[in-house]
Amino acid sequence: MLRYLLSKLLTFVPTFLGVTLVSFAFIRVLPGDPIIVMAGERGLTEERYAELQAQFGFDRPLYVQFWDYLTGVLQGDLGESFVTKKPVWDEFFSLFPATLELSIVAIILATALGIPAGVIAAMYRGKFFDRALMSSALVGYSMPIFWWALLLIIVFSGNLGWTPVSGRIDLLYFFPDVTGFMLIDSLLSGQKGAFASAVSHLVLPSIVLATIPLAVIARQTRSAMLEVLSEDYIRTARAKGLAPVRVNGLHALRNAMIPVVTVIGLSVGMLLAGAILTETIFSWPGIGKWMLDSIFRRDYPVVQGGLLLVAGFVMVVNLIVDLLYGLINPKIRKR
Amino acid sequence: MADATAQTAPTTPARPGRFKEFWRYFRENKGAVVGLYIFAAFLLLALFAGLIAPHDPLVQYRSATLVPPAWQEGGTWSYILGTDPLGRDMLSRLLYGARYSFVVGVVVVILASTGGILLGLISGFAPKWLDTFIMRLMDIILSFPALLLALVLVAILGPSLVNAMIAIAIAYQPHYVRLTRAAVIAERSKDYVISAKVAGARLPRLMFITVLPNCLAPIIVQAALSFSNAILDVAALGFLGMGAQPPTPEWGTMLAEAREFILRAWWVVTFPGLAILITVIAINLMGDGLRDALDPKLKRS
């Protein structure tokens, strides 16, 4: 296990360096000079321009700049936003809980509905339930989620008036940030109606974000279950006269879970990509919206730093999934 | 060399049989056949959009803005699916939009698969250091969520449909590299490859003529998958204002323009999304059929 762990860590380091290099390179090839962009319409004198270039270190050789950037990254220094003048690192971590909360609720929703759907479909293979569930799954993973979000807004916010259209909570409520998770903070604040408001803001975005992972998990669970159900030990368990619930639930599902857990872990990248669209449509103040806004504002340090942190997050989660997978399935470690 | 030709000769007359066998398996999956029909219809509509469309997709009928579909009150049969906020005919725009989606799918698949197959072949045959280098490079690309990577690339290259396609193709490429490399490694040690090598086949011949045809099954399935994903992602980029630019009748861009009218005019939002959804479902159905027909592991004996 230790060797497996070390080999995984060894591939992690060069990949992380590469990711840093890529996000560093992006800012140097973006069209438009960042300093001119910062100056805006007022313009700049030649001297001031040179001064600023020196201040940001743009006048030095690229490898020196990269080295500085890399050592900064390792110390948590990603530069400052051109627009807000706040450190990118701080901005990221003040917005990250919003994205994390949305993603966690979405993945719980996707898992809680996707696994039972897949198990039921496998148990009724070829029958009505299987067809109905798998057709819905097909629609789910073919869904343009930005359109899906608009439809839900038309029906639930427009026609029925059940849910708000944007934000995380009504402006009526104000309480201190304790955890950054609106659901928990609103409960801690003890204000009446705050929690309900937070929930009603969360419903539509989390449904939208959960749609594709839900469909993928349901399909994956079904095919893993079908594979396991054809194994000899399942036949043995049935022959012994075990109740179908016990056979399907205990024997089959447990072994079918291994690939499903991997899929859930690997859907983090999918969730973050989905978060860009979901957060933009629902004005959810998280990482996805922040990145998109920064791209439009040409706020280079934010684009650069955000890209790096998002990729770093995806890499860490994938590493953890890999390690867990090695832990559950000893066959993997040998390779 | 004579030996190698003797080895490959029997496969040549077997080709039509192979396609027949594929078709037999593909036809068994009814969903896949339905998907194929819808896709064929989509293709025909895209090809003949110029003949079928009742109006020019860019002409703005200023006296007829936001006309509802024909069957609804206030609708007229000259604008069957209604008009958008600028008075352009929805049906005509949707038909022309099919062209963009089709081109997007084809171009992204061709770009991503050519690059990916080439790198995958090199990686599979290369010495270990080069293999490791290529695979780390792909790991780096895969660490960025595809849509985010595409967004930043488009911001660098400038927002346009062509740049969106290039960006998406770069983001998809690693999947082809990994699939090709895995298939190459599985094939490389088989007898027919060794015999071709012994017979004196050079590396390019070995790569492209001996091994590659036997690695194509998973790549074809991946191509179907990335065709539909490309349509979704390019539409998403268009929706975010980073893909095709107005007034192009691209489906995602149309949705972006329609966004502020969602509560007043359901048709400007519903139809472009429905067009995307149906196209993507059809392609995914075909992809499932391709997988069933080509993947020997799942083939019924």
Side-chain angles (χ1 to χ4, degrees), chain A residues 268-290:
Chain A
V268 175
M270 207 157 65
L271 281 175
L272 287 173
I276 298 174
L277 291 162
T278 314
E279 290 179 1
T280 306
I281 294 170
F282 290 99
S283 304
W284 188 267
I287 298 301
K289 187 174 182 306
W290 175 64

Side-chain angles (χ1 to χ4, degrees), chain B residues 61-298:
Chain B
Y61 299 96
R62 285 303 178 140
S63 54
T65 54
L66 286 179
V67 173
W71 59 88
Q72 215 178 325
E73 220 185 304
T76 132
W77 282 104
S78 70
Y79 311 110
I80 300 173
L81 295 181
T83 58
D84 72 359
L86 295 175
R88 293 171 297 196
D89 182 47
M90 286 296 288
L91 178 62
S92 310
R93 286 179 73 70
L94 288 173
L95 286 170
Y96 277 92
R99 286 187 172 176
Y100 291 98
S101 287
F102 180 72
V103 169
V104 159
V106 171
V107 171
V108 168
V109 168
I110 289 177
L111 284 181
S113 63
T114 346
I117 290 171
L118 208 61
L119 281 175
L121 276 174
I122 293 173
S123 202
F125 278 100
K128 191 152 187 284
W129 65 268
L130 185 59
D131 177 33
T132 313
F133 178 74
I134 294 176
M135 292 325 284
R136 281 298 87 72
L137 217 58
M138 294 305 122
D139 283 352
I140 291 168
I141 299 180
L142 280 175
S143 304
F144 299 102
L147 187 65
L148 182 62
L149 186 67
L151 265 174
V152 176
L153 280 171
V154 169
I156 294 170
L157 302 167
S160 77
L161 193 61
V162 174
N163 291 341
M165 292 191 291
I166 295 172
I168 302 265
I170 291 175
Y172 287 179
Q173 180 159 292
H175 298 288
Y176 288 92
V177 178
R178 285 188 164 185
L179 276 176
T180 312
R181 175 177 173 271
V184 166
I185 288 174
E187 294 292 317
R188 213 177 46 184
S189 54
K190 287 192 180 161
D191 288 344
Y192 75 93
V193 182
I194 294 171
S195 77
K197 209 189 272 177
V198 170
R202 282 168 196 272
L203 193 58
R205 187 190 168 84
L206 219 53
M207 279 161 78
F208 291 100
I209 297 176
T210 313
V211 172
L212 182 60
N214 295 301
C215 303
L216 282 180
I219 296 172
I220 292 171
V221 176
Q222 178 65 33
L225 196 67
S226 45
F227 198 111
S228 57
N229 278 337
I231 292 180
L232 281 178
D233 278 348
V234 170
L237 285 178
F239 179 75
L240 293 173
M242 284 290 190
Q245 296 298 307
T248 314
E250 194 270 329
W251 292 338
T253 314
M254 284 169 72
L255 274 173
E257 288 178 81
R259 243 185 96 179
E260 45 186 311
F261 299 94
I262 57 172
L263 296 181
R264 278 204 284 144
W266 59 271
W267 59 93
V268 289
V269 178
T270 311
F271 294 132
L274 210 55
I276 301 174
L277 179 64
I278 292 173
T279 313
V280 172
I281 288 179
I283 297 165
N284 283 340
L285 277 171
M286 276 167 60
D288 285 352
L290 282 175
R291 194 197 50 216
D292 289 354
L294 293 174
D295 193 338
K297 259 206 312 198
L298 297 168

